[in-house]
């Protein structure tokens, strides 16, 4: 005879789970005991939201679902933002929540909310476990659903009496590979015909192109066709950013310098575009043709309505498409002459020595201390646009940003997960002071786990992005400033190291010293966001635009 909780943990081990993140409650105590006797590490966090962000990032970086655990009611509801983060960002994750006994109700309705109903719009599948014997089957199905396209979170609710129930041992459900079919031959032929007829083709690499399974075939397609490409924010790094075909990143929806190429294109091959991302360009009636290439059909929107679709396993499908095109594209590089001008203007003033540090200089100096395979995890704020726009990426998933839910508070937990998965790489969390304080308690978790992690805090004493938009829209400056703790002393109180940058020339050596010193090291730097309006509004507004939005 085995307990339901033992079956649960055995099923997790069967799926290859090595860590579970979370904050257990009394309804999880049987599961906690089963974890104690397993090979799985229980990573205790200081808030359930951080646990969910870490599990989601595990899924994003590995392609295998991360797992997090919480109690019922308030603990489960604290998973909501993390579940939405994974759902919109297509990150495979399994959430385990507790619940009061369902065979009796000795505590009546105390702490009970309908977690299944509340999580239905935030997950691919929420399910309550009502029989211990069904646990291996339900866990296998949860991991299958979380992983299959489009990936995302699945929730399993385990009531405490089912967790403690003893039943006859049940065998684990075998794991079998499920291959995604390649695109239909007719779709490939249609796409090839459109690309061969194009005079100014352009490739866009987007969120689904950065799946761990995707990148090989995509890089080969770009290389074999020779068509220049740009990326969305979440598509950065899919093809090495150092390639001479890279045209930039669409950090804004229109009128940025990269849109010079987009506006002139007569065909855009949109690889892996998911309309949960803020639009990288705005489609209109006079624009180019668009081919949608992805695992799933396009979601038709007012701003995105492709003219053809290539639906299937992206990498192998692109290899078949490249077979039809290689050596035949005489106009492949028609837009490439625009490249130097676009990248040159984006890189303008990257070494400017003003203080407080400007966003351009910040991005430049961070790039200097991060190796090609180093990982930068961004929280959500004004700096995200600057890093998306200016930070060159050389390896997929080395700039972790969220352009789907775009939630604050995820930067530090995401970086912690990256540091756990890749202890030999340099990992940096970059957070605004507002976003950092939303999960700053996880510094204690990072110290306890003995992670090597640099946390860079951009200090402007405000919710900077919203304050900037308030100014751009000509509203009075009101309601968005706050006070901060002494971040250096705050870090030291958790057992981390802390440094404060006091001059622009001190940023790079301070970051380098933080990495070389090892452990958890917080660096506090003041930032000047006056460049936001100057560069992202005034300069773009004043330049000549190439006609209407596409």
């Amino acid at each position: 005879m085995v307990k339901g909780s033992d079956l649960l943990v055995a099923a997790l081990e069967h799926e290859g789970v090595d860590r579970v993140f979370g904050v257990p409650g009394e309804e999880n105590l049987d599961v906690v005991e089963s974890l104690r006797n397993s090979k799985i590490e229980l990573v205790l966090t200081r808030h359930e939201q951080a646990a969910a962000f870490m599990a989601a990032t595990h899924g994003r970086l590995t392609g295998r679902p991360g797992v997090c655990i919480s109690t019922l009611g308030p603990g489960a509801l604290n998973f909501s933002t993390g579940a939405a983060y994974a759902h919109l960002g297509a990150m495979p994750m399994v959430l385990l929540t507790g619940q009061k006994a369902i065979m009796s109700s000795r505590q009546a309705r105390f702490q009970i909310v309908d977690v299944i109903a509340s999580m239905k719009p935030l997950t691919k599948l929420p399910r309550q476990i009502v029989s211990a014997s069904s646990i291996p089957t339900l866990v296998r199905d949860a991991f299958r659903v979380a992983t299959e396209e489009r990936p995302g979170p699945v929730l399993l609710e385990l009531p405490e009496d089912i967790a403690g129930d003893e039943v006859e041992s049940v065998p684990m459900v075998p794991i079998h590979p499920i291959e995604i079919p390649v695109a239909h031959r007719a779709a490939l032929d249609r796409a090839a015909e459109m690309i061969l007829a194009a005079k100014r083709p352009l490739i866009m690499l987007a969120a689904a192109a950065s799946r761990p399974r995707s990148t090989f075939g995509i890089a080969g397609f770009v290389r074999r066709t020779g068509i220049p490409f740009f990326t969305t924010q979440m598509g950065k790094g899919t093809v090495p950013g150092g390639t001479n075909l890279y045209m930039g990143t669409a950090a804004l929806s229109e009128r940025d310098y990269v849109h010079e190429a987009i506006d002139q294109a007569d065909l855009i091959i949109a690889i892996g575009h998911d309309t949960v991302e803020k639009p990288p360009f705005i489609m209109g009636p006079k624009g180019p043709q668009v081919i949608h290439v992805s695992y799933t059909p396009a979601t038709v929107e007012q701003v995105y309505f492709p003219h053809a679709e290539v639906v299937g396993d992206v990498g192998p499908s692109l290899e078949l498409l490249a077979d039809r095109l290689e050596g035949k594209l005489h106009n492949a590089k028609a837009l490439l002459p625009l490249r130097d001008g676009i990248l040159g203007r984006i890189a303008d003033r990257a070494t400017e020595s003003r203080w407080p540090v400007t966003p351009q200089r910040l991005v430049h100096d961070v790039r200097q201390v991060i190796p090609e395979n180093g990982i930068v995890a961004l929280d959500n704020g004004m700096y995200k646009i600057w890093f998306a726009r200016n930070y060159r990426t050389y390896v997929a998933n080395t700039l972790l940003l969220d352009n789907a839910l775009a939630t604050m508070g995820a930067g530090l937990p995401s970086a912690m997960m990256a540091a756990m998965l890749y202890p030999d790489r340099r990992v940096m969390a970059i957070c605004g002071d507002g976003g950092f304080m939303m999960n700053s308690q996880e510094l204690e978790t990072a110290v306890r786990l003995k992670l090597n992690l640099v946390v860079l805090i951009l200090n402007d004493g405000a919710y900077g992005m919203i304050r900037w938009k308030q100014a751009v829209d000509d509203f009075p400056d009101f309601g968005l400033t706050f006070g901060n703790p002494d971040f250096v002393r705050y870090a030291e109180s958790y057992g981390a190291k802390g440094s404060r940058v006091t001059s622009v020339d001190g940023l790079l050596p301070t970051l380098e010293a933080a990495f070389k010193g090892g452990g958890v090291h917080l660096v506090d730097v003041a930032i000047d966001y006056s460049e936001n309006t100057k560069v992202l509004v005034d300069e773009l507004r004043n330049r000549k635009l190439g006609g209407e939005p596409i």
Side-chain angles (χ1 to χ4, degrees):
M1 303 292 286
V2 295
K3 289 197 305 182
S5 60
D6 290 333
L7 283 173
L8 174 70
V9 171
L12 295 177
E13 288 184 320
H14 182 63
E15 297 289 342
V17 174
D18 55 3
R19 298 183 181 99
V20 173
F21 307 90
V23 183
E26 62 179 288
E27 289 74 23
N28 308 116
L29 289 178
D30 281 300
V31 177
V32 171
E33 176 61 14
S34 297
L35 286 170
R36 186 181 69 85
N37 293 308
S38 76
K39 297 178 182 178
I40 299 175
E41 178 186 3
L42 174 61
V43 179
L44 190 69
T45 60
R46 304 306 299 268
H47 196 286
E48 292 89 352
Q49 186 185 97
F53 287 145
M54 293 179 76
T57 303
H58 180 283
R60 179 180 190 173
L61 290 173
T62 68
R64 305 187 308 274
V67 181
C68 52
I69 188 169
S70 81
T71 187
L72 80 170
L77 292 175
N78 279 343
F79 274 164
S80 297
T81 303
Y85 174 76
H87 197 40
L88 269 68
M91 306 173 196
M93 174 171 68
V94 172
L95 305 100
L96 304 173
T97 59
Q99 188 53 275
K100 296 292 185 187
I102 57 174
M103 300 302 181
S104 64
S105 56
R106 293 175 60 85
Q107 296 194 32
R109 305 298 298 172
F110 176 64
Q111 284 196 310
I112 293 179
V113 296
D114 191 340
V115 173
I116 300 298
S118 71
M119 287 291 191
K120 189 172 183 179
L122 303 178
T123 60
K124 294 182 72 177
L125 176 69
R127 179 176 285 175
Q128 184 184 68
I129 300 173
V130 297
S131 164
S133 298
S134 69
I135 288 175
T137 300
L138 295 181
V139 170
R140 174 81 284 269
D141 198 46
F143 276 75
R144 178 189 65 82
V145 172
T147 306
E148 68 183 8
E149 289 292 335
R150 180 178 181 269
V154 173
L155 180 137
L156 294 177
E157 180 183 79
L158 181 59
E160 58 182 331
D161 55 347
I162 305 301
D165 190 23
E166 292 191 350
V167 297
E168 291 186 8
S169 183
V170 181
M172 296 295 108
V173 178
I175 300 172
H176 66 282
I178 302 176
E179 304 300 338
I180 302 173
V182 296
H184 194 282
R185 180 185 302 170
L188 291 166
D189 289 342
R190 186 181 305 112
E193 184 179 351
M194 293 171 65
I195 297 168
L196 288 168
K199 293 182 172 57
R200 296 175 303 280
L202 187 63
I203 293 171
M204 180 181 80
L205 302 174
S210 64
R211 306 261 206 277
R213 65 179 296 151
S214 303
T215 55
F216 175 77
I218 294 172
F221 179 77
V222 173
R223 184 183 66 252
R224 292 173 65 189
T225 62
I227 300 173
F229 71 95
F230 72 102
T231 76
T232 69
Q233 292 189 36
M234 294 180 73
K236 288 179 72 71
T238 305
V239 173
T243 176
N244 58 9
L245 295 173
Y246 172 69
M247 302 288 283
T249 295
L252 305 176
S253 294
E254 56 186 342
R255 299 184 179 180
D256 201 353
Y257 296 114
V258 71
H259 291 95
E260 292 181 6
I262 296 170
D263 291 348
Q264 292 188 34
D266 64 348
L267 175 73
I268 294 177
I269 307 162
I271 300 175
H273 185 47
D274 191 329
T275 56
V276 299
E277 275 210 81
K278 192 172 183 180
F281 62 90
I282 308 295
M283 286 188 69
K286 299 180 181 179
Q289 291 186 310
V290 174
I291 300 173
H292 173 85
V293 182
S294 196
Y295 297 98
T296 54
T299 302
V300 175
E301 304 281 358
Q302 180 181 352
V303 296
Y304 187 70
F305 43 91
H307 303 85
E309 300 193 35
V310 177
V311 178
D313 197 350
V314 169
S317 296
L318 286 175
E319 289 179 357
L320 293 174
L321 185 55
D323 290 341
R324 291 161 164 80
L325 301 172
E326 191 170 10
K328 302 176 183 178
L329 293 174
H330 305 299
N331 299 318
K333 295 182 171 60
L335 293 173
L336 201 58
L338 298 173
R339 178 178 184 270
D340 289 345
I342 292 170
L343 297 185
R345 282 173 287 186
I346 289 173
D348 189 36
R349 300 196 297 275
T351 56
E352 198 168 35
S353 58
R354 284 162 44 194
W355 180 256
V357 67
T358 62
Q360 300 98 308
R361 178 63 184 265
L362 174 79
V363 174
H364 174 272
D365 284 10
V366 168
R367 181 69 275 182
Q368 300 306 302
V369 299
I370 299 293
E372 289 190 1
N373 70 344
I375 296 175
V376 172
L378 302 181
D379 206 272
N380 201 66
M382 195 64 227
Y383 48 90
K384 184 180 76 171
I385 293 177
W386 287 101
F387 272 87
R389 194 172 184 260
N390 291 33
Y391 187 85
R392 297 290 291 274
T393 49
Y394 303 96
V395 179
N397 290 310
T398 53
L399 181 65
L400 303 181
L401 56 79
D402 171 22
N403 193 35
L405 184 64
T407 179
M408 299 172 74
L412 176 58
S414 297
M416 290 165 59
M417 185 71 256
M420 295 180 74
L421 286 170
Y422 307 112
D424 296 329
R425 298 197 201 178
R426 286 191 173 186
V427 178
M428 179 188 293
I430 300 181
C431 308
D433 44 8
F436 171 72
M437 290 302 291
M438 291 186 178
N439 271 313
S440 64
Q441 73 283 343
E442 299 306 328
L443 278 179
E444 187 279 326
T445 308
V447 171
R448 174 167 28 95
L449 295 174
K450 297 180 172 59
L451 300 182
N452 290 314
L453 176 65
V454 173
V455 182
L456 179 61
I457 307 299
L458 309 182
N459 194 337
D460 69 331
Y463 292 115
M465 176 176 278
I466 309 306
R467 192 184 189 196
W468 170 65
K469 292 194 174 184
Q470 187 179 54
V472 169
D473 292 341
D474 296 323
F475 288 107
D477 185 3
F478 173 76
L480 295 169
T481 59
F482 46 70
N484 281 318
D486 182 325
F487 285 120
V488 172
R489 293 172 62 190
Y490 185 76
E492 292 171 348
S493 72
Y494 284 115
K497 302 167 189 173
S499 299
R500 180 171 292 107
V501 178
T502 57
S503 69
V504 67
D505 292 332
L507 177 59
L508 195 152
T510 300
L511 293 176
E512 185 65 35
F515 277 116
K516 288 183 177 179
V520 180
H521 197 130
L522 182 149
V523 177
D524 177 11
V525 61
I527 187 164
D528 177 9
Y529 277 138
S530 64
E531 290 289 280
N532 295 343
T533 300
K534 180 180 179 182
V535 176
L536 302 180
V537 178
D538 295 341
E539 288 184 6
L540 297 182
R541 182 182 290 157
N542 292 334
R543 78 176 183 87
K544 292 182 179 180
L545 303 178
E548 299 178 8
I550 67 171

